[in-house]
């Protein structure tokens, strides 16, 4: 998008929501956060997206040059799929994005899945959709 902002897009298949979980490498204590969760159809092409500000993320975890981002299909609120996620390694200094095989981040993947799909499970369907829409960029 611009020198400071990455636009991460995904095209979900057979899932209602898509979540984005972010793990800051080398931060102490370890930080895993939700970058966003969006409803399935956000634009004409059926893609969902999240924005990642490099400078804001460097300020959040100043000791971390890299972050692992997992794009996770969510079967329901707080129910991540255990297949189909796409982990990416992001250099928070340069913005370079490198695709990773899920096996490369296996020890982080469950935490990333849970962070990505976190919404209050007692919420109604409308509240879930509204919550997801409010977090969409």
């Amino acid at each position: 998008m611009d020198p400071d902002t990455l636009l991460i897009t995904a095209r979900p298949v057979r899932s209602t929501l898509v979540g984005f979980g972010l793990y800051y490498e080398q931060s102490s204590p370890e930080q895993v956060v939700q970058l966003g969760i969006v409803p399935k159809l956000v634009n004409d092409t059926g893609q969902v997206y999240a924005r990642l500000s490099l400078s804001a993320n460097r300020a959040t975890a100043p000791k971390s040059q890299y972050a692992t981002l997992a794009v996770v299909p969510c079967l329901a609120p707080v129910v991540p799929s255990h297949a189909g996620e796409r982990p990416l390694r992001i250099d928070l200094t340069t913005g370079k994005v490198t695709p990773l095989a899920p096996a490369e981040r296996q020890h982080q993947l469950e935490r990333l899945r849970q962070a990505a799909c976190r919404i209050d499970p007692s919420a109604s369907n409308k509240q879930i959709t509204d919550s997801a829409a409010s977090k969409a960029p």
Side-chain angles (χ1 to χ4, degrees):
M1 291 193 61
D2 61 52
D4 186 56
T5 308
L6 297 177
L7 181 65
I8 311 296
T9 62
R11 181 163 305 166
V13 177
R14 295 186 301 271
S15 71
T16 341
L17 299 168
V18 174
F20 299 85
L22 194 62
Y23 172 86
Y24 294 101
E25 297 178 22
Q26 301 155 347
S27 66
S28 180
E30 286 190 338
Q31 294 182 43
V32 179
V33 298
Q34 183 184 67
L35 179 61
I37 186 165
V38 292
K40 182 176 180 180
L41 298 177
V42 212
N43 64 24
D44 298 354
T45 64
Q47 291 181 327
V48 296
Y49 54 89
R51 288 186 175 97
L52 178 70
S53 165
L54 299 174
S55 60
N57 280 280
R58 283 192 305 268
T60 300
K63 293 181 182 175
S64 298
Q65 179 180 352
Y66 296 98
T68 300
L69 174 77
V71 181
V72 180
C74 306
L75 304 177
V78 199
V79 183
S81 169
H82 286 264
E85 66 272 325
R86 293 291 179 252
L88 306 168
R89 188 170 197 230
I90 299 170
D91 185 322
L92 296 173
T93 305
T94 66
K96 181 179 178 186
V97 177
T98 308
L100 299 169
E104 291 182 68
R105 293 294 187 256
Q106 197 59 44
H107 62 288
Q108 299 163 352
L109 213 41
E110 186 57 33
R111 292 178 64 197
L112 283 165
R113 287 177 184 136
Q114 294 301 324
C117 295
R118 186 181 321 135
I119 292 181
D120 178 0
S122 65
S124 69
N125 285 341
K126 181 173 178 354
Q127 288 173 309
I128 292 164
T129 303
D130 290 348
S131 172
S134 72
K135 293 183 183 201

